[in-house]
Amino acid sequence: MMNLGLLSGTKSTKSVNVSFRLPYYTHWGQSLLVCGSETVLGSWNVKKGLLLNPVHQGDELVWTGSVAVPSGFGCEYNYYVVDDDKNILRWEMGKRRKLLLSEGIQHGEVVEFHDLWQTGSDDLPFRSAFKNVIFNRSWNLNVERPLGSIQNNLEGEDTLLIQFKICCPNVEEDTSVYVIGSHVKLGQWKIQDGFKLSYAGNSIWQGDCVLRKGDLPIQFKYSKYGKAGKFSLETGPNRELAVGSSDNQPRYIFLSDGLFRELPWRGAGVAVPMFSVRSESDLGVGEFLDLKLLVDWAVDSGFHLVQLLPINDTSVHGMWWDSYPYSSLSVFALHPLYLKVQALSESIPDDIKQEIQEAKQRLDGKDVDYEATMATKLSIAKKIFAREKDLILHSKSFQKYFSENEDWLKPYAAFCFLRDFFETSDHSQWGRFSQYSKNKLEKLVAKDSLHHDVICFHYYIQFHLHLQLSAAAGYARKKGVVLKGDLPIGVDRNSVDTWVHPNLFRMNTSTGAPPDYFDKNGQNWGFPTYNWEEMSKDNYSWWRARLTQMAKYFTAYRIDHILGFFRIWELPEHAMTGLVGKFRPSIPLSQEELEREGIWDFDRLSRPYIRQELLQHKFGAYWTFIASNFLNEYQKHCYEFKEDCNTEKKIAAKLKSCAESSLLLESENKTRHDLFDLLRNIVLIRDSEDPRKFYPRFNLEDTSNFKDLDDHSKNVLKRLYYDYYFHRQESLWRQNALKTLPALLDASDMLACGEDLGLIPSCVHPVMQELALIGLRIQRMPSEPDLEFGIPSQYGYMSVCAPSCHDCSTLRAWWEEDEERRRRFFKNVVGSDMLPPSQCVPDIAHFILRQHVEAPSMWAIFPLQDLLALKEEYTTRPAAEETINDPTNPKHYWRYRVHVTLESLMKDNQLKTTIKDLVRGSGRSYPVGENEVQVNEETAATSTDQKQLVPNGKEKLPVASELTAVPQKETLVVH
């Protein structure tokens, strides 16, 4: 770089007039601004940036502005959309731009930068999933000339220099990039006579071409030209370069033309929880080293991706409840469940080997036995640790790992010790250790402490988990397979993270989801909500550390419940279900606002509305028992809950004591459900911090509280309800997401996908598109309100499509659940009036999977269970047993194991061929095996001297297929 750190106070006798030009459509009240690293462009203070002026040029709205800078000037810069007060409304994604002026540009010259707005999509090829895995090359490109350098000099007043610059991340060996266009120096559309560009590093190709001013305007396109005359011309309309009509014409034009426009890259993958994988050597559960075998099977089946559920340690309760993978004990620590104990040492004694073999037989069941597996693995690991701890803990590799991870590893090990010592993860029960401090931590982990071996054992386990997962991750990258992780939206309230960073969480609240496809009563996940205001004070360092750790193993990740970064469904800590919550952040209804609308009886609306007739209807003759034990009659036939049972948790506790004393006349579950219904019979939720603020209860029209209101009140509340849930918050939620999500995306170079199912605010998809976040499309849960079944052929490119996911039944189970729905699907989607088969036979599975691989979505990712449905011999297990999660059950046991080993699947060439034919036939990319070459169906054609284009960019000779003859396996769409 030349003078990139130029001092702002430096004076120069030479100055160059730099002009910026960017086409961009704005809304009324919006302007474009350029801000950069040097004083003349605001020193990254957007308020002091250079405001641009709009000019209509044909159909485009072009923003321009200029500034005088010293000769040889250099800086970084970006564009921003601002309002009239220069407040940022939107900013470019991707890397910062670089402005570099050659010393050879003379005093008084005009240099014009022609830029294109950078979207999140422009940065996708540089995410590690593509850059380091799918587009990864075994050969290197040598930089031929540095970025920004100029090799040609201008002679005469009527000449001008055009520097072409294009980003082309996917270039095959011995391939160059050319500009082909209407001018003779651009080959007059002849491929072989085009203008060759030089490689400038970081996937940028550039070249400067000297023309005469009268030569403009010109039309052109970029082309790749490689071995044996193979070439690929970019898609889309011709690019065009023209100059304005002002007297101060530029002599230097620097074109930044964004990405080489290619056909959209599309790939496929398999999804399976780590615990569900079955191999011949595992101990009752999938293990990290089993991923190597899974990757081999994925490659043979044509998959570029393997997707897992969260793999962090969840050992909160010390029982099977910990099988829930979304409630982490630590967002940094890996789960000991996935440790392969056989790989802990090369010299395991025979007695321990025998113990491992016996455990393998004992634990090889239909489902995961979480408690037995954890106990067995930790017991065996402790015995090996006792033999080899000194060797391992003093090794260079462990010391390096420890120094890189001690910030989280020490608190994690101390937490595990205290959890076991106090026999609870509830750190409020830990006496003087309840409040975390650095001093207390250092004493706990000190080398001279009596329990130092216990602390070191936790280090040891994490070290080996790291080694094993790193080995599997490296193997996947080498094989061209993206390993995709999962980022849970919450952490357990009794976790290392809430112990160490209590200020980052709202511990008196609980996280969940409002009623949706999964549960009509909403969901309560039990996690504390985030204190985003506190997190923002250090630029979200906890999140950035979390993503940095994750990127050590994964090249892509799924953001669980991405809606939580716009707004979260917040429940009081005493709630057990997810119905009576509110969004945070959100704009509440004020008491003044409601009073203006004629709403005034706030106690009536915000307290449970319990009348005698309702009690009699719900409980029949049993109602008097309920009234006497749970309620007070505060006026005739009107009741309220007693103090000891006025929350869901209090009701549950009281019911348990009633059951133990045999007072219950009906089942405990039914009574609890009915009492919860009474408690939730409200219309407005009063804010716990400000009693003059209210939130409309979700589905308030379903309550008898609402039904007994007068018509005026009903109409007002219905209107305010609709406004609160669908209009009032949109701008607030958009702003919230644009504060939090970029912090995540910038923390790593992993490819980010967002799980955007459920009640979707209208602001979500535009923000995801802006940030290039890839959404999720499940056919049975269409986002279009008028559709029962999604139409994969109409999905957008920036999506992952799948027939099912871990939160719903498998394809087979879904097919068998509902006969009428099955008939509607067969008629409306399959297009047949025949009676559908009652079982999801392989032909049905093949049809549905083919729909998805042929979709425009960037990724088609299939649960392994849905792929096994392609072959009848794998469908003998009852379909319902293949379900991974039941979202309606907060204490669901996550224990599904695939009933066939990876070794058996590797031998099943018929299944692998069937799957690979689906992938290959859809035009999706697939990883190339060691003895295989991926061939595009359109083969390379004739010699280059026949290839010529007419001025509109269409071919003259030969036929169209030859233009895209180069294999398209590594191309990425540009929006």
Side-chain angles (χ1 to χ4, degrees), residues 402-417:
F402 184 81
S403 66
E404 291 174 353
N405 295 275
E406 63 179 310
D407 285 349
W408 67 263
L409 189 57
K410 282 181 177 179
Y412 166 76
F415 187 98
C416 291
F417 166 73

Side-chain angles (χ1 to χ4, degrees), residues 594-824:
L594 289 162
E595 286 172 345
R596 285 197 301 270
E597 297 279 4
I599 304 295
W600 56 270
D601 194 352
F602 300 107
D603 279 349
R604 154 80 166 76
L605 296 170
S606 62
R607 292 171 60 189
Y609 181 71
I610 307 171
R611 297 295 181 266
Q612 183 173 311
E613 57 268 28
L614 178 61
L615 291 174
Q616 291 171 331
H617 172 73
K618 263 197 177 299
F619 299 98
Y622 185 43
W623 80 270
T624 54
F625 172 85
I626 294 294
S628 62
N629 282 276
F630 294 90
L631 306 169
N632 291 323
E633 188 175 15
Y634 64 91
Q635 65 184 52
K636 192 166 184 177
H637 303 319
C638 299
Y639 294 83
E640 63 183 3
F641 277 96
K642 292 181 178 180
E643 180 68 25
D644 67 346
C645 54
N646 60 359
T647 71
E648 290 181 342
K649 284 188 177 177
K650 287 180 181 179
I651 288 172
K654 187 161 184 174
L655 278 172
K656 193 163 290 294
S657 67
C658 287
E660 288 169 359
S661 58
S662 303
L663 288 176
L664 280 185
L665 304 178
E666 293 189 15
S667 79
E668 183 182 342
N669 285 343
K670 182 182 185 308
T671 305
R672 182 173 63 233
H673 179 272
D674 289 342
L675 284 169
F676 282 8
D677 274 352
L678 287 185
L679 193 66
R680 299 181 302 213
N681 190 19
I682 59 175
V683 173
L684 297 176
I685 300 168
R686 195 186 291 267
D687 193 298
S688 59
E689 297 169 7
D690 186 343
R692 297 180 66 83
K693 292 179 179 177
F694 300 88
Y695 306 88
R697 201 213 89 162
F698 201 92
N699 289 345
L700 55 79
E701 291 182 62
D702 294 344
T703 67
S704 64
N705 192 328
F706 178 86
K707 291 171 184 174
D708 283 357
L709 292 172
D710 61 90
D711 288 343
H712 168 75
S713 296
K714 284 181 180 177
N715 291 333
V716 168
L717 288 165
K718 277 196 289 187
R719 175 164 48 81
L720 292 174
Y721 173 91
Y722 190 81
D723 179 63
Y724 176 86
Y725 281 101
F726 300 105
H727 293 294
R728 187 183 185 100
Q729 326 291 344
E730 293 295 324
S731 176
L732 175 66
W733 291 344
R734 173 186 165 79
Q735 292 169 16
N736 199 52
L738 288 175
K739 287 178 186 174
T740 56
L741 283 172
L744 265 74
L745 301 180
D746 293 342
S748 79
D749 63 354
M750 292 183 289
L751 180 69
C753 306
E755 183 263 297
D756 53 346
L757 303 176
L759 185 72
I760 310 293
S762 59
C763 63
V764 170
H765 289 147
V767 168
M768 290 183 68
Q769 184 177 6
E770 189 171 327
L771 300 180
L773 281 159
I774 303 162
L776 177 61
R777 299 292 169 265
I778 305 292
Q779 188 171 24
R780 72 187 73 169
M781 296 177 241
S783 52
E784 302 86 354
D786 56 333
L787 289 180
E788 183 179 15
F789 310 112
I791 305 171
S793 63
Q794 296 180 9
Y795 292 161
Y797 174 70
M798 292 293 290
S799 64
V800 170
C801 68
S804 69
C805 66
H806 68 272
D807 275 328
C808 59
S809 54
T810 62
L811 179 57
R812 282 178 60 219
W814 178 81
W815 183 266
E816 297 168 14
E817 282 166 1
D818 188 327
E819 182 180 356
E820 289 303 316
R821 183 182 62 199
R822 184 166 67 235
R823 289 184 179 183
R824 292 193 300 274

